[in-house]
Amino acid sequence: MNHLGDANLRTWTLRVTALLAADIRDQLAWLGERELETKDIVEEVKLVCRVSEGLAERGAFAPEDQRHLRAIGRRIGEIDATHRVGLWGNALTADSAWDDVRSLARRFLLTRLGDWHQPLPRLARPPVGDH
């Protein structure tokens, strides 16, 4: 097991899952004025779920954790192309799939950490360009 690399990937997985588990008002506040595309969030979550498979094989996640992450990945995969278009903030309020994902993410965090209320990830600041 690559302890440093796996630890970083595990932390990334927990942060993304914390964002998915958050109350919708907290998700919208986290987004603020950011215009994140739904398709980008879907792809990020799908990547997290794929990476978690390798982490589980190396012991960074328990089998029960992996079952929860697979369920999240399956539900994300069921979001059809028409519901992946547009801003994620709009999708959060319009598509009930995100309620399902929220519930699944909460179950994972409850199992893994004992509480689904976790700090939300910090977004990287946009680069400041020369004007």
Side-chain angles (χ1 to χ4, degrees):
M1 178 164 108
N2 174 345
H3 293 290
L4 183 57
D6 284 356
N8 287 335
L9 291 171
R10 181 181 172 279
T11 297
W12 170 57
T13 300
L14 294 172
R15 287 182 178 156
V16 169
T17 309
L19 178 59
L20 296 173
D23 289 326
I24 192 167
R25 69 180 182 285
D26 294 330
Q27 291 170 325
L28 293 172
W30 180 85
L31 280 168
E33 298 297 318
R34 294 174 193 91
E35 295 185 347
L36 293 179
E37 294 288 327
T38 303
K39 65 178 176 53
D40 295 334
I41 295 295
V42 167
E43 291 304 315
E44 184 83 5
V45 174
K46 287 169 62 177
L47 179 59
V48 162
C49 293
R50 283 193 307 270
V51 167
S52 72
E53 293 287 336
L55 290 172
E57 289 172 6
R58 295 187 297 279
F61 284 120
E64 186 174 352
D65 298 330
Q66 193 54 37
R67 282 191 295 277
H68 290 294
L69 291 166
R70 283 183 185 134
I72 292 168
R74 277 191 304 275
R75 186 62 184 110
I76 286 288
E78 292 170 354
I79 298 173
D80 66 36
T82 59
H83 287 105
R84 293 182 188 194
V85 176
L87 299 178
W88 189 46
N90 296 335
L92 285 170
T93 59
D95 187 354
S96 64
W98 293 104
D99 295 332
D100 297 341
V101 170
R102 187 175 298 106
S103 177
L104 293 167
R106 286 177 179 180
R107 281 189 223 139
F108 165 72
L109 292 171
L110 280 169
T111 300
R112 184 69 189 158
L113 304 175
D115 188 3
W116 66 265
H117 293 92
Q118 300 296 316
L120 298 183
R122 284 183 262 160
L123 283 177
R125 294 179 187 236
V128 177
D130 295 275
H131 296 273

